[in-house]
Amino acid sequence: MEAAQILRQKGYQFKLGFAGEGPYGKTLKEKLPNDLFFDFIKGKELSKVYASSDLFVFSSTTETFGNLVLEAFASGLPVVGAKKGGSTDLIQHQKNGLLAGPFDGIDLARQIEWILNNPQKTKNLCQKALETAEHYNWPTAKKLK
């Protein structure tokens, strides 16, 4: 929320989209009434949300692996994640995505702004993100058991 406020104060215009039913859902809906809230979605509906997005921001510090980051990578989205938790297992800062300090809205805004202001470098991040996603598949995961 802090990152969104910072970016909007700088004049960036965007809609946030929230998918899921996290613990802050009610607060976010109250504080960000003009943004989009999808609650829990899956399958084709989730795919449509990824396909309709320009950027994936995942500030969770408690995610253990980062499935959502991997889905965003596979969707070709630039990703900004928290430098703590499961995101760090997948995101290599300035190689396939960006990492922001955990619980640091100012740094999160800074990383998002970098994405917005560097389209060619962001395109390269997205390509590396797709390559990262290609390394994860069910046959590989089954071998890890």
Side-chain angles (χ1 to χ4, degrees):
M1 205 165 25
E2 181 183 10
Q5 291 169 338
I6 290 168
L7 293 168
R8 286 179 172 147
Q9 286 172 352
K10 289 184 170 192
Y12 291 98
Q13 296 181 8
F14 54 88
K15 281 269 190 203
L16 297 171
F18 296 90
E21 300 171 341
Y24 300 107
K26 184 178 178 185
T27 301
L28 289 170
K29 286 178 184 178
E30 290 171 1
K31 301 247 184 207
L32 302 167
N34 297 319
D35 290 303
L36 307 170
F37 293 87
F38 302 103
D39 295 322
F40 180 78
I41 55 174
K42 61 182 182 175
K44 283 189 176 187
E45 289 301 311
L46 182 58
S47 296
K48 288 178 186 177
V49 170
Y50 279 118
S52 301
S53 299
D54 296 312
L55 170 65
F56 184 77
V57 178
F58 191 63
S59 60
S60 173
T61 60
T62 58
E63 178 79 15
T64 56
F65 173 68
N67 285 331
L68 299 174
V69 169
L70 197 54
E71 290 172 354
F73 279 0
S75 299
L77 292 174
V79 175
V80 178
K83 200 181 306 182
K84 183 178 180 185
S87 295
T88 60
D89 292 332
L90 296 168
I91 300 173
Q92 297 173 1
H93 187 68
Q94 293 190 347
K95 291 188 171 84
N96 64 1
L98 298 177
L99 292 167
F103 310 106
D104 186 343
I106 295 169
D107 191 29
L108 187 61
R110 186 179 306 118
Q111 301 306 321
I112 294 168
E113 192 169 22
W114 187 94
I115 295 275
L116 298 172
N117 291 329
N118 291 284
Q120 188 56 46
K121 290 179 181 178
T122 298
K123 187 176 177 181
N124 293 337
L125 287 180
C126 293
Q127 181 58 45
K128 293 295 183 189
L130 280 168
E131 291 171 15
T132 300
E134 288 174 358
H135 291 288
Y136 293 87
N137 56 53
W138 282 115
T140 302
K142 288 178 184 177
K143 289 178 188 176
L144 297 175
K145 284 185 175 181

